[in-house]
Amino acid sequence: MLPRADLLQGAEYRETLARVLDLGEQALKTWQVVWSDFLSPPEIAEVQARLRNLTELQVGAWGGYPQAERQRLALARSEVGLDVRDPKSDPEGIPLAAIQIQGNFLFDPATHRDFLGALLASGIAREKVGDILLLGDSGAQAIVVPEMVDYLTLNLTQVRTVPVKVSRIPLSQLNIQPPRVKSITSIEASLRLDAVASAGFGISRSKMVEEIQRGEVRVNWKPITQASYTVGPQDWIAIRGRGRLQIEEVAETKKGRFRVQMRRYL
């Protein structure tokens, strides 16, 4: 049995973690790979952080493409092979399906929120839906759990005022746009959030302090309101309306300062 009480103590996403622990115990008992529904980035981060030291359980995440934000988890005993990406060649892979939501949105453009709203209004739960990819005037694509495809084909018929047709497509046909990335190197006296984020996003430090204090800045998807918060390698920093960046590497210079290598997603 998993140390459930210890793992749940102080958890921000307690209900999500509890459901994942139920799946983990199922995987341990049955020696089968089990899958969660889609989780958000902060939920994934907390689950992986709390389960990473469990030697008896392995956890993988996949959302259909490398940059996917919403992902499903696969859980299995450590002795069981786990390939999260290829359920066709490996039955232990995470099951995902892609759908095309096709319509003429030239005169009534739809946003991500519109497509998500239409999906939920059709009667399915949020956790059954992964990422949504906009296709401009022609509609959108969405990643969902496979068992929802037939239901959506029948029941999702309109987005805003536009009639739509839903069809299943191969994951290989997802319209994935390669991320625009900018590499940034900065020398900083400390690893304070305001200093590193100011350099990474190219705005003044005083402006960054204001953004942090307003709750606009997240580190690893958690809101941080202290400018003095310390960041480090592999941390993600996101600002509402400005995108996100990842700290790739930190090295101390001979003068005791920090060379921070970052990758900003534009």
Side-chain angles (χ1 to χ4, degrees):
M1 296 294 289
L2 299 172
R4 192 181 188 91
D6 292 340
L7 292 169
L8 287 172
Q9 186 174 5
E12 182 176 358
Y13 299 95
R14 185 180 179 89
E15 291 185 7
T16 298
L17 181 57
R19 290 195 297 269
V20 172
L21 291 177
D22 289 342
L23 294 173
E25 290 175 348
Q26 178 185 340
L28 293 176
K29 290 177 183 178
T30 63
W31 287 74
Q32 299 294 317
V33 179
V34 296
W35 309 291
S36 73
D37 286 325
F38 286 98
L39 305 184
S40 66
E43 290 174 322
I44 295 168
E46 180 169 77
V47 169
Q48 291 182 325
R50 289 184 176 251
L51 301 189
R52 78 165 47 107
N53 293 327
L54 297 177
T55 58
E56 67 270 39
L57 187 70
Q58 56 179 326
V59 181
W62 184 239
Y65 61 104
Q67 298 83 33
E69 292 195 354
R70 293 180 60 80
Q71 301 182 42
R72 300 184 77 180
L73 300 181
L75 300 97
R77 294 188 70 102
S78 299
E79 301 92 338
V80 176
L82 184 63
D83 182 353
V84 300
R85 299 193 184 191
D86 193 1
K88 288 187 177 179
S89 64
D90 181 353
E92 315 304 350
I94 294 180
L96 301 171
I99 59 172
Q100 185 105 355
I101 307 169
Q102 190 166 3
N104 184 358
F105 291 88
L106 179 62
F107 300 108
D108 191 8
T111 65
H112 181 283
R113 178 175 294 183
D114 293 324
F115 284 102
L116 176 59
L119 285 161
L120 302 186
S122 74
I124 69 172
R126 179 69 176 100
E127 57 267 24
K128 302 299 182 182
V129 182
D131 283 7
I132 298 171
L133 308 173
L134 301 182
L135 298 177
D137 296 340
S138 62
Q141 296 170 334
I143 302 171
V144 299
V145 296
E147 57 267 29
M148 288 290 103
V149 172
D150 290 343
Y151 177 88
L152 289 169
T153 302
L154 293 174
N155 292 280
L156 179 56
T157 58
Q158 182 172 314
V159 178
R160 293 180 59 85
T161 63
V162 179
V164 297
K165 180 181 179 180
V166 175
S167 58
R168 184 167 185 165
I169 61 172
L171 288 169
S172 60
Q173 290 184 15
L174 285 170
N175 186 37
I176 308 299
Q177 299 297 322
R180 293 186 298 136
V181 177
K182 179 180 180 181
S183 294
I184 301 166
T185 301
S186 179
I187 305 296
E188 302 294 335
S190 73
L191 295 176
R192 286 172 54 113
L193 174 59
D194 57 345
V196 175
S198 172
F201 288 98
I203 62 177
S204 71
R205 190 160 174 175
S206 60
K207 177 66 174 176
M208 181 57 64
V209 170
E210 293 176 4
E211 299 263 12
I212 294 170
Q213 293 175 344
R214 285 202 307 267
E216 303 288 340
V217 180
R218 292 175 175 261
V219 178
N220 300 326
W221 295 280
K222 294 183 179 181
I224 301 295
T225 56
Q226 293 180 326
S228 60
Y229 182 88
T230 300
V231 295
Q234 305 310 309
D235 280 349
W236 286 91
I237 303 173
I239 304 178
R240 188 173 302 166
R242 297 184 185 271
R244 59 181 176 169
L245 63 81
Q246 185 178 32
I247 301 172
E248 294 187 305
E249 185 177 339
V250 176
E252 191 169 354
T253 69
K254 294 180 180 179
K255 295 183 178 181
R257 296 168 72 85
F258 297 95
R259 179 181 292 105
V260 185
Q261 182 68 40
M262 294 170 275
R263 182 183 291 259
R264 182 180 174 189
Y265 292 81
L266 305 172

PDB file of all heavy atoms in Angstrom, residues 145-162:
ATOM      1  N   VAL A 145     -10.280  11.732 -24.595  1.00  0.00           N
ATOM      2  CA  VAL A 145     -10.194  10.302 -24.303  1.00  0.00           C
ATOM      3  C   VAL A 145     -10.959   9.564 -25.400  1.00  0.00           C
ATOM      4  O   VAL A 145     -12.002  10.020 -25.878  1.00  0.00           O
ATOM      5  CB  VAL A 145     -10.764   9.981 -22.906  1.00  0.00           C
ATOM      6  CG1 VAL A 145      -9.922  10.643 -21.820  1.00  0.00           C
ATOM      7  CG2 VAL A 145     -12.215  10.429 -22.785  1.00  0.00           C
ATOM      8  N   PRO A 146     -10.453   8.417 -25.851  1.00  0.00           N
ATOM      9  CA  PRO A 146     -11.041   7.742 -27.024  1.00  0.00           C
ATOM     10  C   PRO A 146     -12.521   7.408 -26.878  1.00  0.00           C
ATOM     11  O   PRO A 146     -13.263   7.444 -27.864  1.00  0.00           O
ATOM     12  CB  PRO A 146     -10.191   6.473 -27.152  1.00  0.00           C
ATOM     13  CG  PRO A 146      -8.866   6.855 -26.567  1.00  0.00           C
ATOM     14  CD  PRO A 146      -9.198   7.766 -25.420  1.00  0.00           C
ATOM     15  N   GLU A 147     -12.962   7.105 -25.656  1.00  0.00           N
ATOM     16  CA  GLU A 147     -14.360   6.696 -25.485  1.00  0.00           C
ATOM     17  C   GLU A 147     -15.349   7.827 -25.695  1.00  0.00           C
ATOM     18  O   GLU A 147     -16.569   7.594 -25.759  1.00  0.00           O
ATOM     19  CB  GLU A 147     -14.571   6.070 -24.100  1.00  0.00           C
ATOM     20  CG  GLU A 147     -14.180   6.952 -22.936  1.00  0.00           C
ATOM     21  CD  GLU A 147     -12.752   6.722 -22.461  1.00  0.00           C
ATOM     22  OE1 GLU A 147     -11.900   6.330 -23.297  1.00  0.00           O
ATOM     23  OE2 GLU A 147     -12.502   6.936 -21.270  1.00  0.00           O
ATOM     24  N   MET A 148     -14.863   9.064 -25.840  1.00  0.00           N
ATOM     25  CA  MET A 148     -15.748  10.208 -26.052  1.00  0.00           C
ATOM     26  C   MET A 148     -15.940  10.563 -27.523  1.00  0.00           C
ATOM     27  O   MET A 148     -16.747  11.424 -27.857  1.00  0.00           O
ATOM     28  CB  MET A 148     -15.203  11.435 -25.322  1.00  0.00           C
ATOM     29  CG  MET A 148     -15.334  11.399 -23.807  1.00  0.00           C
ATOM     30  SD  MET A 148     -17.060  11.552 -23.273  1.00  0.00           S
ATOM     31  CE  MET A 148     -17.441   9.853 -22.858  1.00  0.00           C
ATOM     32  N   VAL A 149     -15.188   9.915 -28.419  1.00  0.00           N
ATOM     33  CA  VAL A 149     -15.225  10.322 -29.829  1.00  0.00           C
ATOM     34  C   VAL A 149     -16.606  10.129 -30.442  1.00  0.00           C
ATOM     35  O   VAL A 149     -17.165  11.039 -31.063  1.00  0.00           O
ATOM     36  CB  VAL A 149     -14.162   9.553 -30.638  1.00  0.00           C
ATOM     37  CG1 VAL A 149     -14.333   9.826 -32.135  1.00  0.00           C
ATOM     38  CG2 VAL A 149     -12.763   9.960 -30.192  1.00  0.00           C
ATOM     39  N   ASP A 150     -17.187   8.939 -30.286  1.00  0.00           N
ATOM     40  CA  ASP A 150     -18.501   8.687 -30.893  1.00  0.00           C
ATOM     41  C   ASP A 150     -19.554   9.618 -30.311  1.00  0.00           C
ATOM     42  O   ASP A 150     -20.431  10.118 -31.044  1.00  0.00           O
ATOM     43  CB  ASP A 150     -18.908   7.226 -30.672  1.00  0.00           C
ATOM     44  CG  ASP A 150     -18.070   6.260 -31.496  1.00  0.00           C
ATOM     45  OD1 ASP A 150     -17.416   6.713 -32.456  1.00  0.00           O
ATOM     46  OD2 ASP A 150     -18.057   5.062 -31.167  1.00  0.00           O
ATOM     47  N   TYR A 151     -19.480   9.861 -29.011  1.00  0.00           N
ATOM     48  CA  TYR A 151     -20.449  10.749 -28.370  1.00  0.00           C
ATOM     49  C   TYR A 151     -20.355  12.158 -28.954  1.00  0.00           C
ATOM     50  O   TYR A 151     -21.376  12.780 -29.282  1.00  0.00           O
ATOM     51  CB  TYR A 151     -20.199  10.783 -26.864  1.00  0.00           C
ATOM     52  CG  TYR A 151     -21.111  11.735 -26.120  1.00  0.00           C
ATOM     53  CD1 TYR A 151     -22.347  11.319 -25.667  1.00  0.00           C
ATOM     54  CD2 TYR A 151     -20.719  13.052 -25.882  1.00  0.00           C
ATOM     55  CE1 TYR A 151     -23.190  12.190 -24.994  1.00  0.00           C
ATOM     56  CE2 TYR A 151     -21.556  13.935 -25.216  1.00  0.00           C
ATOM     57  CZ  TYR A 151     -22.790  13.495 -24.772  1.00  0.00           C
ATOM     58  OH  TYR A 151     -23.620  14.367 -24.122  1.00  0.00           O
ATOM     59  N   LEU A 152     -19.138  12.671 -29.100  1.00  0.00           N
ATOM     60  CA  LEU A 152     -18.967  14.025 -29.624  1.00  0.00           C
ATOM     61  C   LEU A 152     -19.368  14.116 -31.093  1.00  0.00           C
ATOM     62  O   LEU A 152     -19.892  15.134 -31.538  1.00  0.00           O
ATOM     63  CB  LEU A 152     -17.514  14.471 -29.431  1.00  0.00           C
ATOM     64  CG  LEU A 152     -17.109  14.754 -27.985  1.00  0.00           C
ATOM     65  CD1 LEU A 152     -15.600  14.923 -27.868  1.00  0.00           C
ATOM     66  CD2 LEU A 152     -17.820  15.988 -27.450  1.00  0.00           C
ATOM     67  N   THR A 153     -19.124  13.054 -31.844  1.00  0.00           N
ATOM     68  CA  THR A 153     -19.529  13.035 -33.244  1.00  0.00           C
ATOM     69  C   THR A 153     -21.033  13.250 -33.390  1.00  0.00           C
ATOM     70  O   THR A 153     -21.500  13.930 -34.319  1.00  0.00           O
ATOM     71  CB  THR A 153     -19.127  11.705 -33.898  1.00  0.00           C
ATOM     72  OG1 THR A 153     -17.704  11.538 -33.784  1.00  0.00           O
ATOM     73  CG2 THR A 153     -19.514  11.674 -35.365  1.00  0.00           C
ATOM     74  N   LEU A 154     -21.789  12.716 -32.432  1.00  0.00           N
ATOM     75  CA  LEU A 154     -23.248  12.832 -32.485  1.00  0.00           C
ATOM     76  C   LEU A 154     -23.769  14.099 -31.822  1.00  0.00           C
ATOM     77  O   LEU A 154     -24.784  14.659 -32.253  1.00  0.00           O
ATOM     78  CB  LEU A 154     -23.888  11.612 -31.815  1.00  0.00           C
ATOM     79  CG  LEU A 154     -23.706  10.265 -32.519  1.00  0.00           C
ATOM     80  CD1 LEU A 154     -24.258   9.152 -31.649  1.00  0.00           C
ATOM     81  CD2 LEU A 154     -24.376  10.277 -33.885  1.00  0.00           C
ATOM     82  N   ASN A 155     -23.102  14.563 -30.780  1.00  0.00           N
ATOM     83  CA  ASN A 155     -23.690  15.585 -29.926  1.00  0.00           C
ATOM     84  C   ASN A 155     -23.069  16.975 -30.025  1.00  0.00           C
ATOM     85  O   ASN A 155     -23.691  17.947 -29.586  1.00  0.00           O
ATOM     86  CB  ASN A 155     -23.634  15.133 -28.464  1.00  0.00           C
ATOM     87  CG  ASN A 155     -24.536  13.949 -28.197  1.00  0.00           C
ATOM     88  OD1 ASN A 155     -25.745  14.102 -28.031  1.00  0.00           O
ATOM     89  ND2 ASN A 155     -23.955  12.753 -28.172  1.00  0.00           N
ATOM     90  N   LEU A 156     -21.873  17.085 -30.582  1.00  0.00           N
ATOM     91  CA  LEU A 156     -21.288  18.419 -30.771  1.00  0.00           C
ATOM     92  C   LEU A 156     -21.621  18.882 -32.183  1.00  0.00           C
ATOM     93  O   LEU A 156     -21.013  18.445 -33.163  1.00  0.00           O
ATOM     94  CB  LEU A 156     -19.773  18.377 -30.556  1.00  0.00           C
ATOM     95  CG  LEU A 156     -19.034  19.711 -30.739  1.00  0.00           C
ATOM     96  CD1 LEU A 156     -19.603  20.795 -29.844  1.00  0.00           C
ATOM     97  CD2 LEU A 156     -17.537  19.534 -30.482  1.00  0.00           C
ATOM     98  N   THR A 157     -22.609  19.753 -32.291  1.00  0.00           N
ATOM     99  CA  THR A 157     -23.119  20.153 -33.608  1.00  0.00           C
ATOM    100  C   THR A 157     -23.002  21.649 -33.878  1.00  0.00           C
ATOM    101  O   THR A 157     -23.250  22.086 -34.998  1.00  0.00           O
ATOM    102  CB  THR A 157     -24.594  19.747 -33.754  1.00  0.00           C
ATOM    103  OG1 THR A 157     -25.357  20.374 -32.704  1.00  0.00           O
ATOM    104  CG2 THR A 157     -24.748  18.231 -33.661  1.00  0.00           C
ATOM    105  N   GLN A 158     -22.611  22.432 -32.847  1.00  0.00           N
ATOM    106  CA  GLN A 158     -22.555  23.881 -33.046  1.00  0.00           C
ATOM    107  C   GLN A 158     -21.539  24.501 -32.100  1.00  0.00           C
ATOM    108  O   GLN A 158     -21.415  24.104 -30.943  1.00  0.00           O
ATOM    109  CB  GLN A 158     -23.936  24.501 -32.784  1.00  0.00           C
ATOM    110  CG  GLN A 158     -24.003  26.004 -33.009  1.00  0.00           C
ATOM    111  CD  GLN A 158     -25.432  26.526 -32.928  1.00  0.00           C
ATOM    112  OE1 GLN A 158     -26.341  25.956 -33.505  1.00  0.00           O
ATOM    113  NE2 GLN A 158     -25.624  27.625 -32.205  1.00  0.00           N
ATOM    114  N   VAL A 159     -20.783  25.472 -32.607  1.00  0.00           N
ATOM    115  CA  VAL A 159     -19.881  26.298 -31.800  1.00  0.00           C
ATOM    116  C   VAL A 159     -20.229  27.754 -32.099  1.00  0.00           C
ATOM    117  O   VAL A 159     -20.212  28.167 -33.261  1.00  0.00           O
ATOM    118  CB  VAL A 159     -18.407  26.019 -32.134  1.00  0.00           C
ATOM    119  CG1 VAL A 159     -17.498  26.938 -31.313  1.00  0.00           C
ATOM    120  CG2 VAL A 159     -18.064  24.557 -31.853  1.00  0.00           C
ATOM    121  N   ARG A 160     -20.565  28.499 -31.079  1.00  0.00           N
ATOM    122  CA  ARG A 160     -21.154  29.831 -31.264  1.00  0.00           C
ATOM    123  C   ARG A 160     -22.389  29.687 -32.164  1.00  0.00           C
ATOM    124  O   ARG A 160     -23.269  28.897 -31.867  1.00  0.00           O
ATOM    125  CB  ARG A 160     -20.113  30.810 -31.799  1.00  0.00           C
ATOM    126  CG  ARG A 160     -18.996  31.118 -30.786  1.00  0.00           C
ATOM    127  CD  ARG A 160     -17.963  32.098 -31.340  1.00  0.00           C
ATOM    128  NE  ARG A 160     -18.563  33.373 -31.726  1.00  0.00           N
ATOM    129  CZ  ARG A 160     -18.785  34.383 -30.880  1.00  0.00           C
ATOM    130  NH1 ARG A 160     -18.453  34.269 -29.611  1.00  0.00           N
ATOM    131  NH2 ARG A 160     -19.311  35.522 -31.306  1.00  0.00           N
ATOM    132  N   THR A 161     -22.444  30.410 -33.272  1.00  0.00           N
ATOM    133  CA  THR A 161     -23.600  30.278 -34.169  1.00  0.00           C
ATOM    134  C   THR A 161     -23.309  29.379 -35.355  1.00  0.00           C
ATOM    135  O   THR A 161     -24.135  29.260 -36.271  1.00  0.00           O
ATOM    136  CB  THR A 161     -23.997  31.667 -34.707  1.00  0.00           C
ATOM    137  OG1 THR A 161     -22.907  32.198 -35.490  1.00  0.00           O
ATOM    138  CG2 THR A 161     -24.311  32.626 -33.567  1.00  0.00           C
ATOM    139  N   VAL A 162     -22.144  28.735 -35.352  1.00  0.00           N
ATOM    140  CA  VAL A 162     -21.670  28.014 -36.531  1.00  0.00           C
ATOM    141  C   VAL A 162     -21.961  26.514 -36.409  1.00  0.00           C
ATOM    142  O   VAL A 162     -21.521  25.875 -35.436  1.00  0.00           O
ATOM    143  CB  VAL A 162     -20.158  28.236 -36.719  1.00  0.00           C
ATOM    144  CG1 VAL A 162     -19.648  27.454 -37.929  1.00  0.00           C
ATOM    145  CG2 VAL A 162     -19.844  29.719 -36.863  1.00  0.00           C
TER     146      VAL A 162
END
